[in-house]
Amino acid sequence: MTAPLLLLVESNTTGTGRQFAARARDLGVVPVLLSADPARYPYAAEDGLRTVVVDTADDDALWFAVTGLAAVAPVAGVLSSSEYYVATAAALAARLGLPGPSADAVRAVRDKAAQRRTLAEAGVPVPRFSVAGDIAEAIAAAQWLGGPVVVKPVQGSGSLGVRLCRDRDEVADHAKGLLAATVNERGLRTPGVVLVEQYLTGREFSVEVFGEEAVVTVAKHVGAPPVFVETGHDVPAVLPAARAAALVDTAVRAVEALGLGWGAAHVELRLDGDVARVIEVNPRLAGGMIPELVRRARGVDLVGAQVRAALGEPVDLAGTPDAAGAASIRFLTAGADSVLADVAAAEAAARAVPGVVDTALYRPAGTAVAPAEDFRGRVGHVIAAGTAPEASAEAAETALTRGLATALTPVTPATVTPATATPATATSAAAPTAATVTPETVSAPVTARASVREVVPA
């Protein structure tokens, strides 16, 4: 009997993409990656993942690939771990009569301006905001809001393009850059508007929701403005009961108001006094290794739950009694232009800290890195587990400062040669490598613009 398939439309470049495929295999299902550029995901070749090369921005080409696969094996589910393709995956699942969220709801949620309007109309607390289609509108919005404002794209993830602007000139300059972009980092068209919002200074959290159930609240650590790079997470967050309840209640209300309620949703919020205000709702699993923290701290496998939901299997969010109780992650970023030195020694020092369960430096020794502007500027991580959040956080902080951070050697511009002076923000933690797979054409072109090829792992 032919094993059923789980179709994965593109992937995120770090974190859970690889785990989606692994969980599918554990359930006896064959994962198949549909991607325009499989080399973007080195794990695909490393793990021998079956891959079909197709223009995932072309609905006709994608459907042609899917029906071709379905002709030889049953398709049991469709998912994406990428923010940019969750709506595409939802639409394919619906077309195939398979489980998934509402594609229309996901599309609307991915537009942060539309999302904000819907939440505000439903009475869900959000920051004050305005949408701007040109520089003059952005400046006017900032003047109306008063004080520093946050200017960001209406679509995107990983803090890309999100910036605190303190005056008129900064607003104009950042809005100009965002509005000039016609495509995003995935080559997909951008809407041509920006979001200008009130700057909230309260602590930031996320609530991980599955269906309409809050699984856990996460304390988030964010770097210094003007950028908003996430530098760490603690699971679970330690909060007074009233504030913890406000975060959970607001997150679940937001998911319901947006018409989601299927699978995972990552809801980011900030406290404004005792009021929990939604920064954004993401119709997908959290990034930043949060699902791994939840698994270690609570014994809840959110990646496995998402895969099981897509396959129509029952989902258990109860957790396991042998879970640690708490887990923390800290990401390594450079405070100044630096070069990675003794990577092996830094990782060994981090692993020697009691409570540390995972460490990684994403680039080899000799790589030049710059201060992070978004998630792509993170150059490593350490994860610690413990019986309480305070213990796991302390272990992660210690392993970062006494371990991974020792790999960074600050440099002056004169000491870095042009060949090595590559900013960290220009390279993702899983940047494409040289040819790691051998493409084999398995079908004729669908149109002049699109063809479908299956990749044979090397």
Side-chain angles (χ1 to χ4, degrees), residues 326-346:
S328 299
I329 189 169
R330 294 296 181 270
F331 293 102
L332 179 64
T333 60
D337 288 339
S338 304
V339 171
L340 284 174
D342 193 339
V343 170

Side-chain angles (χ1 to χ4, degrees), residues 288-347:
M289 304 290 285
I290 288 174
E292 178 63 11
L293 300 184
V294 175
R295 186 185 70 81
R296 290 185 178 276
R298 292 294 181 83
V300 178
D301 182 2
L302 289 174
V303 177
Q306 189 79 338
V307 170
R308 292 183 70 89
L311 297 173
E313 298 289 335
V315 172
D316 182 6
L317 301 174
T320 57
D322 59 346
S328 299
I329 189 169
R330 294 296 181 270
F331 293 102
L332 179 64
T333 60
D337 288 339
S338 304
V339 171
L340 284 174
D342 193 339
V343 170
E347 284 202 65

Side-chain angles (χ1 to χ4, degrees), residues 399-428:
L400 181 70
T401 56
R402 297 183 185 176
L404 294 193
T406 63
L408 290 174
T409 301
V411 296
T412 61
T415 63
V416 182
T417 64
T420 60
T422 303
T425 53
T427 309
S428 83

Side-chain angles (χ1 to χ4, degrees), residues 1-6 21-31 74 76 307-308 311:
M1 179 177 177
T2 304
L5 310 178
L6 175 66
R23 299 297 190 277
R25 290 191 187 99
D26 291 344
L27 293 169
V29 177
V30 177
V307 170
R308 292 183 70 89
L311 297 173

